[in-house]
Amino acid sequence: MEVIVVKNYEEMSRKAASIIEEKVNADPECVLGLATGGTPLGTYEQLIEGHRSRGIDYSGVTTFNLDEYVGLPRDHSQSYHTFMQEQLFSHIPFLNTYIPNGEAEDLDKECREYEALLDKEGPANIQLLGIGSNGHIGFNEPGASFEAGTHVEELDQVTREANARFFPSLEAVPTEAVTMGIASILKSEEILLLASGANKQEAIRRLLKGEMEEMFPASALYNHKHVTLIVDEEAYGKDVDTSAE
Ligand code: F6R
């Protein structure tokens, strides 16, 4: 795992966006794996800026999102469909954008079909990831199998509490999500894991210990040969001098 420590959220976002733009310029028909949540917002802003001001072209690019809540209507303000539409897809035209359907009547079928689509059109050339304070990636919560493909996952209490900031109350946060599994994530050619802020410090410390365990899902990334962690000073938590970069 390559570790890049940057000063703050903005630098993390700029660095992530520049890696993605470089890939899109080199391979205009590439596949990007995307995440939601607070972490990638700045990266998406940078991508939109690059598209507008430097004409970076995504018209041949396909995207796959990691996850979607079960049971939230697609047009709900907190669905990941709405999030992606607002934060990225309404600003940049892509060739195809895929997000799991959390409203599917037969969720197992939806999971099988999403994984099959990922196999057909993917894998992602670059997969963007955030990390939960409990070490989750996608919605693979502590204890999730490292071998799993796309599946329905019950959300950890820690995750529901963290995401309650986007909902009127904790009770309103869905209890399940459809998520790409750890095995689906590891199919990607390259993985970009982003972490910013003091509330991610403990997760990053545990990740960098380098011990693989199912109770800490992000540690599965040690099974992959091309992972870059871009972490800001607050999340890294140690005194590092990034002023020369
Ligand atoms: C989002 C996702 C999650 C988040 C994680 C961090 O699609 O899969 O794993 O990346 O919960 O969330 P934030 O970025 O809000 O701290």
Side-chain angles (χ1 to χ4, degrees):
M1 183 178 301
E2 185 191 355
V3 181
I4 302 176
V5 184
V6 293
K7 195 145 201 58
N8 52 30
Y9 180 82
E10 203 187 338
E11 264 188 39
M12 176 194 78
S13 305
R14 258 196 245 282
K15 180 76 194 159
S18 75
I19 293 171
I20 293 170
E21 288 179 346
E22 212 174 291
K23 170 60 71 183
V24 171
N25 281 334
D27 179 1
E29 293 178 2
C30 69
V31 177
L32 300 176
L34 301 178
T36 55
T39 306
L41 278 177
T43 306
Y44 296 156
E45 275 171 25
Q46 294 291 328
L47 295 182
I48 293 164
E49 174 58 23
H51 172 68
R52 287 198 178 135
S53 63
R54 283 174 284 112
I56 312 265
D57 178 13
Y58 292 84
S59 61
V61 173
T62 293
T63 68
F64 277 89
N65 265 80
L66 284 166
D67 40 26
E68 177 58 286
Y69 290 117
V70 167
L72 277 197
R74 191 176 284 242
D75 61 359
H76 187 281
S77 65
Q78 297 309 322
S79 80
Y80 288 164
H81 279 80
T82 299
F83 177 100
M84 290 309 299
Q85 199 54 37
E86 287 176 350
Q87 306 302 335
L88 192 64
F89 299 155
S90 61
H91 305 277
I92 300 182
F94 287 86
L95 180 64
N96 287 308
T97 58
Y98 300 117
I99 304 178
N101 176 11
E103 290 184 284
E105 250 173 56
D106 184 342
L107 285 169
D108 288 340
K109 181 160 169 269
E110 169 63 19
C111 291
R112 281 195 306 278
E113 287 178 357
Y114 199 71
E115 193 69 28
L117 195 61
L118 187 63
D119 285 336
K120 181 162 167 261
E121 305 222 3
N125 297 97
I126 295 186
Q127 173 68 57
L128 197 57
L129 293 180
I131 184 169
S133 56
N134 63 358
H136 77 204
I137 49 174
F139 274 135
N140 294 280
E141 301 287 20
S145 164
F146 284 6
E147 316 296 326
T150 302
H151 63 284
V152 175
E153 180 91 12
E154 189 178 331
L155 299 181
D156 204 79
Q157 185 63 10
V158 172
T159 301
R160 294 188 64 240
E161 280 166 10
N163 290 5
R165 68 192 196 276
F166 301 116
F167 289 85
S169 66
L170 178 58
E171 293 67 43
V173 182
T175 55
E176 290 180 325
V178 175
T179 182
M180 272 166 59
I182 289 176
S184 337
I185 292 171
L186 294 181
K187 284 176 187 170
S188 324
E189 244 170 49
E190 180 179 346
I191 294 174
L192 269 188
L193 174 64
L194 309 185
S196 165
N199 62 332
K200 299 297 169 71
Q201 206 179 98
E202 177 54 25
I204 294 303
R205 190 195 60 76
R206 196 160 163 195
L207 176 69
L208 294 178
K209 274 204 312 197
E211 287 165 20
M212 271 206 276
E213 42 166 340
E214 285 193 343
M215 288 314 288
F216 191 71
S219 67
L221 298 174
Y222 285 106
N223 280 326
H224 195 282
K225 57 183 187 330
H226 194 171
V227 179
T228 307
L229 166 66
I230 307 175
V231 55
D232 74 3
E233 285 179 4
E234 271 190 6
Y236 193 69
K238 295 175 199 156
D239 287 334
V240 278
D241 182 8
T242 52
S243 56
E245 286 169 33

